[in-house]
């Protein structure tokens, strides 16, 4: 049973990093093509987040229970902060509707 949990966690982390990396690549291309002036900050936030994910993967190997709770808290915190700052700024810059 423990092996099933580790396999599921491994699959989850692999899918998470693949999905995030694909999303970041597409969004970065969008920003670069449009000359977005906050691209370096946005990219830095992505890189910081991926570093956190890789740290979580290492921590998960040591303490599965604590890492599940930590994973949920870190994902929630990062997504909330990123959406409220970086993505709001990006949307305001390229939203064709008047504000």
């Amino acid at each position: 049973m423990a092996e099933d949990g580790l396999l599921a966690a491994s699959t989850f982390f692999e899918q998470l990093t693949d999905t995030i990396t694909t999303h970041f690549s597409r969004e970065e291309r969008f920003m670069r093509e449009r000359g977005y002036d906050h691209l370096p900050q946005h990219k830095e936030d992505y890189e910081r987040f991926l570093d956190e994910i890789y740290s979580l993967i290492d921590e998960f190997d040591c303490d599965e229970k604590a890492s599940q709770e930590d994973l949920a808290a870190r994902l929630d915190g990062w997504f909330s902060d990123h959406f409220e700052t970086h993505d709001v700024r990006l949307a305001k810059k390229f939203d064709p509707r008047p504000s």
Side-chain angles (χ1 to χ4, degrees):
M1 187 70 165
E3 285 184 28
D4 291 342
L6 290 176
L7 182 57
S10 175
T11 300
F12 169 77
F13 283 122
E14 182 178 325
Q15 290 174 348
L16 178 65
T17 56
D18 287 350
T19 300
I20 289 170
T21 301
T22 299
H23 169 78
F24 291 172
S25 294
R26 289 178 180 158
E27 195 170 66
E28 182 180 342
R29 185 175 55 243
F30 173 87
M31 291 184 283
R32 190 174 309 286
E33 288 171 354
R34 287 155 182 80
Y36 184 54
D37 56 342
H38 291 282
L39 173 60
Q41 296 91 338
H42 210 107
K43 186 174 179 176
E44 183 178 309
D45 195 51
Y46 285 158
E47 291 169 356
R48 182 179 56 82
F49 181 55
L50 283 173
D51 287 345
E52 280 191 48
I53 296 295
Y54 294 127
S55 291
L56 277 169
I57 292 169
D58 291 340
E59 291 169 22
F60 192 88
D61 290 340
C62 297
D63 185 357
E64 183 177 332
K65 175 86 171 126
S67 293
Q68 288 175 356
E69 294 165 5
D70 194 28
L71 173 64
R74 284 187 183 177
L75 289 176
D76 180 58
W78 185 86
F79 281 114
S80 295
D81 180 63
H82 184 83
F83 292 151
E84 291 170 3
T85 57
H86 295 281
D87 285 349
V88 166
R89 184 183 304 132
L90 180 64
K92 284 181 181 179
K93 176 80 174 181
F94 296 107
D95 189 348
R97 298 171 291 179
S99 38

